[in-house]
């Protein structure tokens, strides 16, 4: 078990590199790995169950203690990223499934790795955990509404269809994990150190499947889409920090809001694309998954070397 724990720690530390390698593998063996795309909802459900195991009821207490900080963060999450996705997509001339994929990413809740990034960057980890939990619980309502508001009005999918998908692959697994933690906390504590293997492995499988299913598109138009994704993420990080600063939050809280806004649950975006649209609509999510872990890790490293008051 000691060896397995070390492997889990390495997986968490080298998350971004493993996801990048997954993308490369998808390009090198598209025929063999493309079938994984059909199982993205399952992979995401497993990841979200693991996330639920890390949460406790007390994680939601911050809503009552610091409602202003939580409100600012969650509102920024569901306003900044969707609008920026739509604007950046238009700026880069993206259309069709590429633009829809950008909006899918922008409309998703906070990313599953954001709490670790905030911790490493000496940010307000409690605020980060609370924001992730709240935005995930709100996702079944807000994510479909934002997609239908910002995307092409002729989309052949309804609010209730997407609502049901998000409930199944996000809300139910998270709540199940919360219940298991509440009922068997003593046993769950023992497996928590190994959970990075679940989240990292799940995201790598999602990226493998999406990139493999879109290998030709990645090679032909991937550069433009990658630039759009990078711009989206960097603007999210910057505007998230700026919003928190204008709202008067302290430095640690600004860092938490920045990461929570800039890092998205790209697995959910990929799952919605695979379930309701086309594999091409999942490509921005796969690229975002690779990039936001790299940018988040880099930002956390820079912040960790600076005083929290600087």
């Amino acid at each position: 078990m000691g060896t397995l724990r070390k492997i889990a720690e390495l997986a968490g530390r080298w998350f971004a590199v493993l996801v990048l390698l997954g993308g490369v593998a998808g390009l090198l063996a598209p025929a063999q790995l493309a079938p994984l795309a059909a199982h993205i909802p399952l992979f995401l459900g497993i990841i979200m169950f693991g996330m639920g195991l890390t949460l406790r009821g007390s994680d939601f207490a911050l809503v009552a203690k610091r409602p202003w900080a939580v409100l600012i963060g969650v509102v920024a999450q569901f306003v900044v990223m969707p609008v920026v996705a739509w604007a950046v997509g238009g700026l880069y001339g993206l259309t069709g499934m590429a633009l829809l994929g950008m909006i899918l990413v922008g409309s998703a809740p906070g990313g599953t790795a954001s709490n670790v990034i905030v911790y490493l960057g000496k940010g307000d980890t409690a605020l980060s955990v609370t924001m992730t939990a709240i935005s995930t619980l709100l996702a079944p309502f807000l994510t479909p509404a934002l997609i239908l508001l910002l995307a092409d009005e002729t989309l052949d999918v309804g609010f209730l269809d997407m609502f049901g998908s998000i409930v199944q692959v996000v809300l139910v697994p998270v709540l199940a994990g919360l219940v298991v933690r509440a009922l068997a906390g003593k046993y769950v504590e023992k497996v928590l150190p190994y959970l990075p293997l679940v989240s990292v492995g799940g995201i790598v499988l999602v990226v493998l499947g999406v990139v493999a299913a879109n290998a030709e598109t990645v090679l032909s138009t991937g550069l433009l889409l990658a630039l759009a994704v990078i711009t989206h993420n960097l603007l999210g990080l910057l505007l998230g920090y700026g919003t928190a600063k204008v709202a008067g939050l302290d430095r640690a809280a600004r860092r938490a809001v920045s990461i929570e806004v800039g890092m998205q649950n790209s697995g959910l975006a990929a799952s919605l694309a695979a379930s309701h649209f086309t594999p091409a609509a999942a490509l921005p999510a796969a690229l975002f998954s690779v990039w936001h872990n790299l940018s988040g890790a880099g930002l956390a490293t820079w912040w960790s070397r600076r005083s929290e008051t600087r």
Side-chain angles (χ1 to χ4, degrees), residues 7 28 40 46 52 68 73 79 88 114 148 169 197 246:
I7 294 173
L28 295 177
I40 288 174
I46 294 172
W68 178 242
V79 173
V88 168
S114 59
L148 295 175
V169 303
L197 283 176
V246 170

Side-chain angles (χ1 to χ4, degrees), residues 105-162:
V105 172
S107 303
T112 54
S114 59
N115 309 142
V116 176
I117 297 297
V118 171
Y119 171 76
L120 295 175
K122 297 183 178 179
D124 190 331
T125 307
L127 177 60
S128 174
V129 170
T130 301
M131 283 183 58
T132 300
I134 296 298
S135 66
T136 298
L137 294 179
L138 291 175
F141 304 96
L142 296 182
T143 297
L146 288 166
I147 292 169
L148 295 175
L149 175 66
L150 296 172
D152 190 333
E153 62 182 12
T154 62
L155 288 177
D156 188 23
V157 62
F159 175 90
L160 291 179
D161 292 328
M162 286 189 281

Side-chain angles (χ1 to χ4, degrees), residues 167-203:
V167 167
Q168 290 176 28
V169 303
V170 174
L171 196 58
V172 170
V174 167
L175 293 178
L178 266 167
V179 170
V180 171
R181 178 76 180 269
L183 296 177
K186 181 174 65 174
Y187 301 101
V188 172
E189 292 287 343
K190 295 179 180 179
V191 303
L192 286 179
Y194 310 103
L195 286 182
L197 283 176
V198 176
S199 58
V200 173
I203 291 296

Side-chain angles (χ1 to χ4, degrees), residues 23-48:
V24 172
L27 288 176
L28 295 177
Q32 292 79 12
L33 297 172
L36 289 173
H39 304 291
I40 288 174
L42 173 62
F43 299 148
L44 180 61
I46 294 172
I47 293 168
M48 300 314 294

